[in-house]
Amino acid sequence: MKLNLPNKLTVLRLCLVPVFLVIGILPESIIPRVIWCVLCAAIFIGTALTDMFDGKIARRDNLITDFGKFLDPVADKFMVIGALFVILYRFENLKLGMLVTLIIIVFRELAVTSMRLVVSTGEGIVVAANSLGKIKTVSQIVFVSTVFLEPVVEFLVELIFEDNMMHGIYPLTWLTMAFTLVMTVWSGVNYIKSYWKYLDPEK
């Protein structure tokens, strides 16, 4: 099967997910925490950039395919949810917040994906991504990136100023987590409200 450039980028993003997961579960005895954080952030941000580029190239060069329509959202969800599992596994101080975030994101994605499938097959309507959905995706990417990068910033601050008063608090992480939760719920409710009329319980 011959793939165009956007689809190749999508496949690359999907292939990077297991690489990220393997590196994500490596213990600190193998990779020091700061290096591990930088590596995880680099891989995750790299996969997020392929998501941005494949969509732009596909629209610019009219390379939109059914294969891309199917695989692109799948790769996105694998990327974000995989990263959340790694964070839940490695960041003890974020465990409760991450567990709540992971549950809400998974339930939202399952609900919206199921609704899209029913509406598109039953009514022939394409459920396009709206502005809230795009903001939700960006907020999730920013949140995950912040989780990995804030410990690096903390390490550098402690190294330069010899002050560890803020050690392990991660205010930006909690702030971006809260914003992500708001956008995830808001965009999910918006999608369901917009297309609920097409979900006929008698069909």
Side-chain angles (χ1 to χ4, degrees), residues 90-165:
R90 286 296 299 267
F91 288 81
E92 282 291 332
N93 56 333
L94 302 176
K95 234 175 183 55
L96 180 58
M98 281 308 309
L99 184 60
V100 172
T101 303
L102 181 60
I103 290 171
I104 289 175
I105 288 177
V106 168
F107 270 84
R108 186 267 185 200
E109 298 301 344
L110 286 174
V112 171
T113 301
S114 300
M115 186 200 65
R116 278 179 165 172
L117 181 63
V118 172
V119 171
S120 61
T121 55
E123 302 293 335
I125 298 170
V126 177
V127 182
N130 59 24
S131 57
L132 282 178
K134 291 175 182 177
I135 294 171
K136 178 269 303 180
T137 300
V138 172
S139 73
Q140 291 177 353
I141 291 170
V142 171
F143 163 54
V144 172
S145 301
T146 301
V147 173
F148 291 119
L149 291 176
E150 194 162 21
V152 179
V153 174
E154 177 190 72
F155 172 79
L156 293 175
V157 169
E158 290 179 1
L159 191 65
I160 295 170
F161 298 101
E162 298 182 353
D163 183 357
N164 62 352
M165 286 181 61

Side-chain angles (χ1 to χ4, degrees), residues 20 23-24 26 28 31-45 86-87 90-91 144-155 170:
F20 176 84
I23 292 174
L26 290 176
E28 287 189 39
I31 303 180
R33 185 176 178 83
V34 173
I35 296 175
W36 176 85
C37 284
V38 172
L39 194 56
C40 286
I43 296 173
F44 182 79
I45 293 171
V86 168
I87 295 168
R90 286 296 299 267
F91 288 81
V144 172
S145 301
T146 301
V147 173
F148 291 119
L149 291 176
E150 194 162 21
V152 179
V153 174
E154 177 190 72
F155 172 79
Y170 305 151

